[in-house]
Amino acid sequence: MDRDLEGLLARTREAVAAAGERVRADFASPQGVRRKGRIDLVTATDMAVEAELKERLAAIVPDAVFLAEETAAATGLSGLTWIIDPVDGTTNFAHGFPFACTSVALYDGPEPLLGCVGAPLLDRFFWAGRGLGAWCNGQRLAVSQVAAPVDALVATGFPYAIRENLDEILADLRVMLAETQGIRRPGSAALDLCFVAAGHFDAFYEIGLHAWDVAAGLLLITEAGGTVTGYRPDGPYILGARRILATNGRLHQAMLQLLGE
């Protein structure tokens, strides 16, 4: 891809930051909250932010297509693709819990080029570019150095199809609660991945995520020195795969073993 990646990243950051102003403005009184599944919510903010981002991002890379949570017609990646989650953590947002963010990534086929995760309600803005490192609020990020599960703070999440996956979720949770320092479930996979990149979490695992949940966070973790794979079975993580494990790298094999590899 013969483009100025730093320039693209700067313009993408501006677009995501502008979208974050809408998230911040709507937070006190979310509008148009409705269900798109049994426990899966969408708000007017999701729709408005997605539409705004598509307009702004189309001006940055006119030849890219879109894979966006609220309007995705397909999930495959071919050529340049903007991957958008307008409000990751919509349930948090709708309930007034500020662990929510906007996630945008640009991929060239299966390869990530850049990613931005804006969390205006937490005053955090994360970004990464391929070969340019991972950053938050101007500070370069690096994963933790924790090497043993007993010292690890681990994040996870639960899919909306929780009834269908309850046995697997509880089996993994039982192991993790017994073998790690602690488990956290804040409710935004995009931010969980950012927090692994920043060294606040040492590992993250989850089932049933979509490409838009993780696209930006994957690049942040690898640029910060971490490792991302699948588990059960282990192997390279492909966007949209059923299971994802992201760690600081030093913990990875131990986490794979705990998760049944």
Side-chain angles (χ1 to χ4, degrees):
M1 177 182 172
D2 186 18
R3 297 176 188 265
D4 173 13
L5 188 56
E6 290 189 5
L8 285 176
L9 182 54
R11 295 180 66 187
T12 304
R13 287 169 54 193
E14 291 175 0
V16 175
E21 292 307 308
R22 175 63 186 261
V23 174
R24 191 192 301 272
D26 290 357
F27 180 61
S29 182
Q31 301 295 314
V33 181
R34 59 180 175 83
R35 295 178 187 271
K36 57 181 182 179
R38 186 180 69 85
I39 56 173
D40 191 1
L41 303 181
V42 63
T43 70
T45 306
D46 293 80
M47 304 304 295
V49 168
E50 185 167 307
E52 177 184 337
L53 281 169
K54 290 173 81 170
E55 180 178 353
R56 289 177 178 271
L57 297 173
I60 298 173
V61 186
D63 49 333
V65 299
F66 289 96
L67 177 59
E69 178 177 11
E70 305 306 336
T71 56
T75 57
L77 293 181
S78 178
L80 292 170
T81 305
W82 288 111
I83 306 177
I84 302 170
D85 193 336
V87 182
D88 188 57
T90 297
T91 301
N92 290 344
F93 178 80
H95 285 268
F97 180 56
F99 206 82
C101 65
T102 296
S103 176
V104 171
L106 180 64
Y107 274 59
D108 188 0
E111 298 299 323
L113 300 177
L114 61 84
C116 296
V117 178
L121 306 173
L122 301 176
D123 293 319
R124 300 282 187 96
F125 196 103
F126 300 88
W127 70 91
R130 189 173 65 185
L132 301 176
W135 304 79
C136 179
N137 294 2
Q139 300 296 313
R140 189 154 191 164
L141 300 180
V143 295
S144 74
Q145 296 300 305
V146 170
V150 71
D151 298 319
L153 185 62
V154 178
T156 191
F158 308 139
Y160 290 116
I162 195 162
R163 288 174 171 172
E164 296 85 345
N165 295 282
L166 195 55
D167 289 344
E168 179 177 352
I169 291 166
L170 292 178
D172 290 340
L173 196 58
R174 181 181 180 88
V175 172
M176 290 296 166
L177 286 169
E179 300 297 333
T180 69
Q181 193 168 83
I183 301 292
R184 300 292 182 267
R185 197 276 185 181
S188 166
L191 277 175
D192 290 336
L193 292 168
C194 289
F195 277 42
V196 173
H200 306 316
F201 292 145
D202 305 300
F204 165 78
Y205 73 96
E206 190 167 343
I207 65 172
L209 292 171
H210 298 285
W212 46 77
D213 297 313
V214 302
L218 296 181
L219 184 61
L220 274 146
I221 287 179
T222 56
E223 287 291 323
T227 301
V228 182
T229 68
Y231 65 96
R232 285 201 314 264
D234 181 14
Y237 179 75
I238 299 171
L239 283 177
R242 176 166 171 76
R243 299 178 184 87
I244 182 172
L245 172 63
T247 76
N248 62 7
R250 300 185 71 182
L251 274 171
H252 209 80
Q253 289 303 313
M255 292 296 295
L256 284 172
Q257 291 177 0
L258 291 177
L259 288 167
E261 296 295 340

